Amino acid sequence: MKSVLKSLVNSIFLVLFIIFSSSTPLVLAQCEAETKTNGCHNYRESMKLKIIAIVAILLSSMIGVCLPLFSGQFPSLKPDRDLFTIVKAFASGVILATGYMHVLPDSFNDLMSGCLPENPWRKFPFTTFVAMLSAVLTLMVDSFAMSVYKKRCGKALMVDANNGGGLENTNVVPIDNFEHGHSHSLEMNDDVSSQLLRHRVITQVLELGIVVHSVVIGLAMGASGNQCTIRSLIAALCFHQMFEGMGLGGCILQAEYEIKMKAIMVFFFSATTPLGIVLGIGLSKVYSETSPTSLMVVGLLNACSAGLLNYMALVDLLAADFLGPKLQTNMKLQAWSYVAVLLGAGFMSLMAKWA
């Protein structure tokens, strides 16, 4: 898990480095920008709105991701309760719509822009190609992480079984029954450990996709000088981050991390969009949303994030829950969960009108 977290941190810094290094020559490769209007381009007003955005998005992100973590104070919101399942389904719908309705269209707009050369950018669908590769890569990370763990865990269990697990035979329990019970206990422990590891892998990979997307949208807002756009984005992104954080917070809760690890993951999710805004403000002199280099970098990053988020939402969140024993044996809960998914996806799709 430490190696996965280290990869997450390295990926964040790599994204920031790519954007920073690619933005320095942007003034030399400008595409003709849209004509500025006097009513919507005011440096002082836009800077005030950006500061408000940093505080508001930070608070809404923290509230969203922390709400599930404090659900232990409310018995009805514990992970084994029906209400938690419905809330998680709603948040999974939000994450699914984020990938399809927000990130993927942004990548299409960037990589199919008229500011890029027609060959090869408008001759080949790079957005869907990169998103497909990202989904397959996510599957590989998910699969290999589980395989490595099961291999190591299997060896440990074999050693434990050969040593008798520290237990001794007694005259009360027959040897056959003892061996059967011991084997069954090992299998149960293995299943619980495998499920816990799966929740942890899901949580960290999901956060990686969200963090990449958050940096990109924060950078775009910070570099923008259009106060009319920024004003409408603040409310939309606050709702966006809050509900997306609820989905991530539910995964963190199921992963059963220690307090330190939970705090680290909450910090990364909450701080990345404000950090992107600050970075965009710093690069606003040389950063241009319509420059070819910027369009390529941001478009490819969005495509990667879209593939990752779509895979995680469909396979690791929705399919894992709806095809699991809890929902398969409770048709009423399954129906309400579907309603929650549609509400979450529909609400976040509506947000695409503004953000």
Side-chain angles (χ1 to χ4, degrees):
M1 287 299 103
K2 290 183 178 180
S3 61
V4 178
L5 179 61
K6 185 177 180 181
S7 301
L8 174 63
V9 176
N10 291 336
S11 300
I12 296 170
F13 284 108
L14 179 61
V15 170
L16 297 179
F17 174 76
I18 291 174
I19 295 175
F20 179 78
S21 61
S22 64
S23 61
T24 52
L26 293 183
V27 290
L28 302 177
Q30 289 289 332
C31 177
E32 186 175 354
E34 297 179 356
T35 304
K36 295 183 178 180
T37 58
N38 293 330
C40 284
H41 285 81
N42 185 299
Y43 179 79
R44 290 185 178 180
E45 290 298 322
S46 62
M47 185 59 66
K48 290 179 182 177
L49 290 174
K50 289 174 188 178
I51 295 174
I52 294 173
I54 291 173
V55 177
I57 293 174
L58 178 64
L59 292 177
S60 60
S61 299
M62 293 183 65
I63 291 172
V65 74
C66 288
L67 275 177
L69 300 181
F70 290 101
S71 63
Q73 307 297 326
F74 306 95
S76 59
L77 288 177
K78 289 185 177 180
D80 58 339
R81 298 300 178 91
D82 292 347
L83 183 58
F84 179 85
T85 302
I86 294 175
V87 171
K88 186 183 176 185
F90 176 87
S92 299
V94 169
I95 294 173
L96 181 65
T98 298
Y100 277 109
M101 297 299 296
H102 292 257
V103 190
L104 205 59
D106 287 347
S107 179
F108 271 115
N109 291 336
D110 291 337
L111 298 183
M112 300 294 287
S113 172
C115 297
L116 294 178
E118 184 176 357
N119 189 16
W121 297 103
R122 293 195 295 280
K123 295 288 187 180
F124 184 79
F126 281 97
T127 293
T128 49
F129 179 70
V130 173
M132 176 185 67
L133 293 181
S134 175
V136 173
L137 182 61
T138 306
L139 171 63
M140 291 171 59
V141 172
D142 198 358
S143 175
F144 281 128
M146 292 297 297
S147 297
V148 170
Y149 173 79
K150 286 184 177 180
K151 185 177 180 181
R152 292 179 179 177
C153 185
K155 290 181 179 180
L157 290 174
M158 288 296 295
V159 172
D160 185 48
N162 292 333
N163 292 334
L167 298 174
E168 297 179 357
N169 295 332
T170 64
N171 295 328
V172 178
V173 181
I175 294 177
D176 291 341
N177 291 339
F178 170 77
E179 290 178 350
H180 175 74
H182 185 60
S183 175
H184 181 68
S185 176
L186 292 178
E187 291 176 0
M188 290 292 291
N189 290 335
D190 187 27
D191 290 340
V192 172
S193 300
S194 298
Q195 189 66 25
L196 181 61
L197 175 83
R198 182 160 185 79
H199 285 310
R200 292 185 175 182
V201 171
I202 289 172
T203 301
Q204 295 191 3
V205 176
L206 177 62
E207 175 147 1
L208 175 61
I210 293 175
V211 161
V212 171
H213 173 54
S214 298
V215 171
V216 171
I217 59 177
L219 177 67
M221 176 182 279
S224 176
N226 190 326
Q227 71 220 40
C228 300
T229 301
I230 296 172
R231 189 178 292 110
S232 61
L233 279 176
I234 293 176
L237 287 180
C238 284
F239 283 106
H240 179 281
Q241 291 294 106
M242 180 176 292
F243 288 109
E244 197 173 48
M246 288 175 62
L248 179 62
C251 293
I252 294 175
L253 180 63
Q254 289 184 310
E256 298 181 9
Y257 284 117
E258 297 179 355
I259 296 179
K260 181 180 179 180
M261 188 64 175
K262 288 179 180 178
I264 292 174
M265 301 196 77
V266 168
F267 170 79
F268 271 108
F269 171 77
S270 304
T272 44
T273 301
L275 178 63
I277 296 174
V278 172
L279 183 64
I281 293 173
L283 297 177
S284 58
K285 298 293 184 181
V286 293
Y287 178 88
S288 172
E289 295 178 350
T290 57
S291 70
T293 307
S294 173
L295 289 170
M296 286 186 287
V297 172
V298 173
L300 292 174
L301 286 175
N302 275 331
C304 289
S305 181
L308 192 155
L309 290 175
N310 292 340
Y311 171 88
M312 297 299 295
L314 288 171
V315 178
D316 283 335
L317 296 178
L318 293 174
D321 287 341
F322 281 94
L323 299 180
K326 184 172 184 178
L327 290 180
Q328 286 293 306
T329 56
N330 190 336
M331 294 297 292
K332 183 179 179 181
L333 179 60
Q334 187 176 155
W336 280 111
S337 297
Y338 275 121
V339 172
V341 171
L342 293 175
L343 286 175
F347 182 78
M348 190 52 60
S349 298
L350 183 62
M351 288 291 102
K353 183 178 180 181
W354 299 282

Short mmCIF file of all heavy atoms in Angstrom, two decimals, residues 298-338:
data_model
loop_
_atom_site.label_atom_id
_atom_site.label_comp_id
_atom_site.label_asym_id
_atom_site.label_seq_id
_atom_site.Cartn_x
_atom_site.Cartn_y
_atom_site.Cartn_z
N VAL A 298 -3.48 18.90 -21.58
CA VAL A 298 -4.71 18.83 -20.80
C VAL A 298 -5.68 17.81 -21.39
O VAL A 298 -6.33 17.04 -20.67
CB VAL A 298 -5.36 20.21 -20.71
CG1 VAL A 298 -6.73 20.13 -20.03
CG2 VAL A 298 -4.46 21.17 -19.94
N GLY A 299 -5.77 17.76 -22.72
CA GLY A 299 -6.67 16.81 -23.37
C GLY A 299 -6.29 15.36 -23.10
O GLY A 299 -7.15 14.53 -22.81
N LEU A 300 -4.99 15.05 -23.17
CA LEU A 300 -4.54 13.68 -22.90
C LEU A 300 -4.72 13.31 -21.43
O LEU A 300 -5.09 12.18 -21.11
CB LEU A 300 -3.08 13.52 -23.33
CG LEU A 300 -2.82 13.59 -24.84
CD1 LEU A 300 -1.32 13.56 -25.14
CD2 LEU A 300 -3.51 12.43 -25.55
N LEU A 301 -4.45 14.26 -20.53
CA LEU A 301 -4.66 13.99 -19.11
C LEU A 301 -6.13 13.74 -18.79
O LEU A 301 -6.47 12.84 -18.01
CB LEU A 301 -4.13 15.16 -18.27
CG LEU A 301 -2.61 15.30 -18.15
CD1 LEU A 301 -2.24 16.56 -17.39
CD2 LEU A 301 -2.00 14.08 -17.47
N ASN A 302 -7.00 14.52 -19.41
CA ASN A 302 -8.43 14.32 -19.20
C ASN A 302 -8.89 12.97 -19.76
O ASN A 302 -9.75 12.31 -19.16
CB ASN A 302 -9.23 15.45 -19.86
CG ASN A 302 -9.38 16.66 -18.96
OD1 ASN A 302 -9.38 16.55 -17.75
ND2 ASN A 302 -9.50 17.84 -19.56
N ALA A 303 -8.34 12.57 -20.89
CA ALA A 303 -8.70 11.27 -21.46
C ALA A 303 -8.27 10.14 -20.53
O ALA A 303 -9.03 9.17 -20.32
CB ALA A 303 -8.06 11.11 -22.84
N CYS A 304 -7.06 10.23 -19.97
CA CYS A 304 -6.59 9.22 -19.01
C CYS A 304 -7.51 9.17 -17.79
O CYS A 304 -7.90 8.09 -17.32
CB CYS A 304 -5.16 9.52 -18.58
SG CYS A 304 -3.92 9.26 -19.83
N SER A 305 -7.85 10.35 -17.26
CA SER A 305 -8.70 10.41 -16.08
C SER A 305 -10.09 9.87 -16.38
O SER A 305 -10.69 9.18 -15.54
CB SER A 305 -8.79 11.86 -15.60
OG SER A 305 -9.58 11.96 -14.44
N ALA A 306 -10.62 10.14 -17.57
CA ALA A 306 -11.95 9.66 -17.93
C ALA A 306 -12.00 8.14 -17.99
O ALA A 306 -12.93 7.51 -17.46
CB ALA A 306 -12.37 10.25 -19.28
N GLY A 307 -11.00 7.53 -18.62
CA GLY A 307 -10.96 6.07 -18.68
C GLY A 307 -10.87 5.44 -17.32
O GLY A 307 -11.54 4.44 -17.03
N LEU A 308 -10.05 6.03 -16.45
CA LEU A 308 -9.89 5.50 -15.10
C LEU A 308 -11.18 5.63 -14.30
O LEU A 308 -11.63 4.67 -13.66
CB LEU A 308 -8.75 6.25 -14.42
CG LEU A 308 -8.18 5.71 -13.10
CD1 LEU A 308 -6.75 6.18 -12.91
CD2 LEU A 308 -9.02 6.15 -11.91
N LEU A 309 -11.80 6.81 -14.34
CA LEU A 309 -13.02 7.04 -13.56
C LEU A 309 -14.17 6.17 -14.06
O LEU A 309 -14.94 5.62 -13.25
CB LEU A 309 -13.42 8.50 -13.63
CG LEU A 309 -12.51 9.49 -12.88
CD1 LEU A 309 -12.96 10.93 -13.14
CD2 LEU A 309 -12.50 9.21 -11.39
N ASN A 310 -14.30 6.03 -15.37
CA ASN A 310 -15.38 5.20 -15.91
C ASN A 310 -15.21 3.74 -15.52
O ASN A 310 -16.18 3.06 -15.16
CB ASN A 310 -15.43 5.35 -17.43
CG ASN A 310 -15.85 6.73 -17.87
OD1 ASN A 310 -16.45 7.48 -17.09
ND2 ASN A 310 -15.54 7.10 -19.09
N TYR A 311 -13.97 3.25 -15.58
CA TYR A 311 -13.73 1.85 -15.19
C TYR A 311 -14.03 1.66 -13.71
O TYR A 311 -14.72 0.71 -13.32
CB TYR A 311 -12.28 1.47 -15.48
CG TYR A 311 -11.90 0.12 -14.90
CD1 TYR A 311 -12.11 -1.05 -15.62
CD2 TYR A 311 -11.34 0.02 -13.62
CE1 TYR A 311 -11.80 -2.28 -15.09
CE2 TYR A 311 -11.03 -1.21 -13.08
CZ TYR A 311 -11.25 -2.36 -13.82
OH TYR A 311 -10.94 -3.58 -13.28
N MET A 312 -13.53 2.57 -12.87
CA MET A 312 -13.71 2.42 -11.44
C MET A 312 -15.19 2.48 -11.07
O MET A 312 -15.67 1.70 -10.24
CB MET A 312 -12.94 3.51 -10.69
CG MET A 312 -11.44 3.47 -10.86
SD MET A 312 -10.69 1.95 -10.25
CE MET A 312 -11.04 2.08 -8.52
N ALA A 313 -15.92 3.42 -11.68
CA ALA A 313 -17.34 3.57 -11.34
C ALA A 313 -18.15 2.35 -11.76
O ALA A 313 -18.98 1.85 -11.00
CB ALA A 313 -17.90 4.83 -12.00
N LEU A 314 -17.90 1.83 -12.96
CA LEU A 314 -18.69 0.72 -13.48
C LEU A 314 -18.30 -0.62 -12.88
O LEU A 314 -19.15 -1.43 -12.49
CB LEU A 314 -18.57 0.66 -15.01
CG LEU A 314 -19.30 1.77 -15.78
CD1 LEU A 314 -18.93 1.71 -17.26
CD2 LEU A 314 -20.81 1.63 -15.61
N VAL A 315 -16.99 -0.88 -12.81
CA VAL A 315 -16.51 -2.21 -12.42
C VAL A 315 -16.34 -2.33 -10.91
O VAL A 315 -16.92 -3.22 -10.26
CB VAL A 315 -15.19 -2.55 -13.14
CG1 VAL A 315 -14.67 -3.91 -12.70
CG2 VAL A 315 -15.40 -2.52 -14.65
N ASP A 316 -15.54 -1.44 -10.34
CA ASP A 316 -15.16 -1.60 -8.93
C ASP A 316 -16.20 -1.06 -7.95
O ASP A 316 -16.18 -1.43 -6.77
CB ASP A 316 -13.81 -0.93 -8.67
CG ASP A 316 -12.66 -1.76 -9.19
OD1 ASP A 316 -12.82 -2.99 -9.29
OD2 ASP A 316 -11.60 -1.19 -9.50
N LEU A 317 -17.06 -0.18 -8.39
CA LEU A 317 -18.07 0.38 -7.48
C LEU A 317 -19.46 -0.19 -7.76
O LEU A 317 -20.04 -0.88 -6.93
CB LEU A 317 -18.08 1.91 -7.59
CG LEU A 317 -16.78 2.62 -7.15
CD1 LEU A 317 -16.89 4.11 -7.36
CD2 LEU A 317 -16.44 2.31 -5.70
N LEU A 318 -20.00 0.09 -8.95
CA LEU A 318 -21.37 -0.32 -9.24
C LEU A 318 -21.51 -1.83 -9.42
O LEU A 318 -22.36 -2.47 -8.79
CB LEU A 318 -21.87 0.40 -10.50
CG LEU A 318 -22.05 1.92 -10.33
CD1 LEU A 318 -22.41 2.57 -11.66
CD2 LEU A 318 -23.13 2.22 -9.30
N ALA A 319 -20.68 -2.43 -10.28
CA ALA A 319 -20.80 -3.87 -10.52
C ALA A 319 -20.50 -4.67 -9.26
O ALA A 319 -21.17 -5.66 -8.97
CB ALA A 319 -19.85 -4.28 -11.65
N ALA A 320 -19.49 -4.24 -8.49
CA ALA A 320 -19.13 -4.96 -7.27
C ALA A 320 -20.28 -4.97 -6.27
O ALA A 320 -20.51 -5.97 -5.58
CB ALA A 320 -17.88 -4.34 -6.65
N ASP A 321 -21.01 -3.87 -6.19
CA ASP A 321 -22.13 -3.79 -5.25
C ASP A 321 -23.38 -4.48 -5.77
O ASP A 321 -24.02 -5.28 -5.08
CB ASP A 321 -22.44 -2.33 -4.92
CG ASP A 321 -21.39 -1.70 -4.01
OD1 ASP A 321 -20.65 -2.47 -3.36
OD2 ASP A 321 -21.32 -0.47 -3.95
N PHE A 322 -23.75 -4.18 -7.02
CA PHE A 322 -25.01 -4.70 -7.54
C PHE A 322 -24.96 -6.20 -7.85
O PHE A 322 -26.00 -6.87 -7.85
CB PHE A 322 -25.42 -3.94 -8.80
CG PHE A 322 -26.05 -2.61 -8.51
CD1 PHE A 322 -25.28 -1.46 -8.48
CD2 PHE A 322 -27.39 -2.51 -8.23
CE1 PHE A 322 -25.85 -0.23 -8.20
CE2 PHE A 322 -27.98 -1.29 -7.93
CZ PHE A 322 -27.21 -0.14 -7.91
N LEU A 323 -23.76 -6.73 -8.10
CA LEU A 323 -23.64 -8.18 -8.32
C LEU A 323 -23.21 -8.91 -7.07
O LEU A 323 -22.99 -10.12 -7.10
CB LEU A 323 -22.64 -8.44 -9.46
CG LEU A 323 -23.01 -7.86 -10.82
CD1 LEU A 323 -21.94 -8.18 -11.85
CD2 LEU A 323 -24.36 -8.38 -11.29
N GLY A 324 -23.07 -8.18 -5.96
CA GLY A 324 -22.71 -8.80 -4.68
C GLY A 324 -23.89 -9.42 -3.99
O GLY A 324 -25.06 -9.19 -4.36
N PRO A 325 -23.64 -10.21 -2.95
CA PRO A 325 -24.72 -10.94 -2.28
C PRO A 325 -25.74 -10.04 -1.58
O PRO A 325 -26.91 -10.39 -1.49
CB PRO A 325 -23.97 -11.81 -1.27
CG PRO A 325 -22.65 -11.13 -1.07
CD PRO A 325 -22.32 -10.49 -2.37
N LYS A 326 -25.31 -8.88 -1.11
CA LYS A 326 -26.24 -8.04 -0.34
C LYS A 326 -27.39 -7.54 -1.21
O LYS A 326 -28.56 -7.62 -0.82
CB LYS A 326 -25.48 -6.85 0.27
CG LYS A 326 -26.37 -5.98 1.17
CD LYS A 326 -25.56 -4.93 1.89
CE LYS A 326 -26.43 -4.13 2.85
NZ LYS A 326 -25.64 -3.14 3.62
N LEU A 327 -27.08 -7.01 -2.39
CA LEU A 327 -28.13 -6.49 -3.26
C LEU A 327 -28.83 -7.60 -4.04
O LEU A 327 -30.00 -7.46 -4.39
CB LEU A 327 -27.56 -5.45 -4.22
CG LEU A 327 -27.12 -4.11 -3.59
CD1 LEU A 327 -26.58 -3.17 -4.64
CD2 LEU A 327 -28.28 -3.46 -2.86
N GLN A 328 -28.12 -8.68 -4.32
CA GLN A 328 -28.73 -9.78 -5.07
C GLN A 328 -29.81 -10.49 -4.27
O GLN A 328 -30.71 -11.09 -4.83
CB GLN A 328 -27.65 -10.78 -5.50
CG GLN A 328 -26.79 -10.30 -6.65
CD GLN A 328 -27.55 -10.17 -7.95
OE1 GLN A 328 -28.19 -11.09 -8.40
NE2 GLN A 328 -27.48 -8.98 -8.55
N THR A 329 -29.70 -10.42 -2.96
CA THR A 329 -30.69 -11.08 -2.11
C THR A 329 -31.75 -10.13 -1.55
O THR A 329 -32.58 -10.52 -0.76
CB THR A 329 -29.98 -11.78 -0.93
OG1 THR A 329 -29.20 -10.81 -0.21
CG2 THR A 329 -29.06 -12.89 -1.43
N ASN A 330 -31.70 -8.87 -1.97
CA ASN A 330 -32.66 -7.88 -1.48
C ASN A 330 -33.11 -7.01 -2.66
O ASN A 330 -32.48 -6.01 -3.00
CB ASN A 330 -32.01 -7.02 -0.39
CG ASN A 330 -33.02 -6.14 0.34
OD1 ASN A 330 -34.08 -5.81 -0.18
ND2 ASN A 330 -32.69 -5.76 1.56
N MET A 331 -34.19 -7.41 -3.31
CA MET A 331 -34.66 -6.72 -4.51
C MET A 331 -35.12 -5.30 -4.21
O MET A 331 -34.94 -4.40 -5.03
CB MET A 331 -35.81 -7.52 -5.14
CG MET A 331 -35.39 -8.87 -5.68
SD MET A 331 -34.20 -8.73 -7.04
CE MET A 331 -35.21 -7.97 -8.29
N LYS A 332 -35.70 -5.08 -3.06
CA LYS A 332 -36.15 -3.74 -2.70
C LYS A 332 -34.97 -2.79 -2.56
O LYS A 332 -34.99 -1.67 -3.09
CB LYS A 332 -36.96 -3.79 -1.40
CG LYS A 332 -37.53 -2.44 -0.98
CD LYS A 332 -38.35 -2.57 0.30
CE LYS A 332 -38.90 -1.21 0.72
NZ LYS A 332 -39.69 -1.32 1.99
N LEU A 333 -33.93 -3.24 -1.85
CA LEU A 333 -32.73 -2.43 -1.69
C LEU A 333 -32.06 -2.20 -3.04
O LEU A 333 -31.55 -1.11 -3.32
CB LEU A 333 -31.76 -3.11 -0.72
CG LEU A 333 -30.43 -2.39 -0.47
CD1 LEU A 333 -30.67 -1.01 0.12
CD2 LEU A 333 -29.55 -3.22 0.46
N GLN A 334 -32.07 -3.21 -3.89
CA GLN A 334 -31.48 -3.09 -5.22
C GLN A 334 -32.21 -2.02 -6.04
O GLN A 334 -31.58 -1.21 -6.73
CB GLN A 334 -31.52 -4.44 -5.94
CG GLN A 334 -30.78 -4.45 -7.26
CD GLN A 334 -30.76 -5.83 -7.89
OE1 GLN A 334 -30.62 -5.96 -9.10
NE2 GLN A 334 -30.89 -6.88 -7.09
N ALA A 335 -33.54 -2.01 -5.95
CA ALA A 335 -34.33 -1.02 -6.70
C ALA A 335 -34.03 0.40 -6.22
O ALA A 335 -33.84 1.32 -7.02
CB ALA A 335 -35.81 -1.33 -6.55
N TRP A 336 -33.98 0.59 -4.89
CA TRP A 336 -33.68 1.90 -4.35
C TRP A 336 -32.26 2.34 -4.71
O TRP A 336 -31.99 3.54 -4.94
CB TRP A 336 -33.86 1.92 -2.84
CG TRP A 336 -35.28 2.07 -2.41
CD1 TRP A 336 -36.08 1.14 -1.81
CD2 TRP A 336 -36.09 3.24 -2.57
NE1 TRP A 336 -37.34 1.64 -1.58
CE2 TRP A 336 -37.39 2.94 -2.03
CE3 TRP A 336 -35.88 4.51 -3.09
CZ2 TRP A 336 -38.42 3.87 -2.02
CZ3 TRP A 336 -36.92 5.43 -3.09
CH2 TRP A 336 -38.17 5.10 -2.55
N SER A 337 -31.34 1.39 -4.76
CA SER A 337 -29.96 1.71 -5.14
C SER A 337 -29.88 2.17 -6.60
O SER A 337 -29.12 3.08 -6.93
CB SER A 337 -29.06 0.49 -4.92
OG SER A 337 -29.01 0.13 -3.55
N TYR A 338 -30.66 1.53 -7.48
CA TYR A 338 -30.70 1.97 -8.87
C TYR A 338 -31.26 3.39 -8.98
O TYR A 338 -30.76 4.21 -9.77
CB TYR A 338 -31.55 1.02 -9.71
CG TYR A 338 -30.80 -0.18 -10.22
CD1 TYR A 338 -31.20 -1.47 -9.90
CD2 TYR A 338 -29.68 -0.03 -11.04
CE1 TYR A 338 -30.50 -2.59 -10.36
CE2 TYR A 338 -28.98 -1.12 -11.51
CZ TYR A 338 -29.40 -2.40 -11.17
OH TYR A 338 -28.71 -3.48 -11.64
#
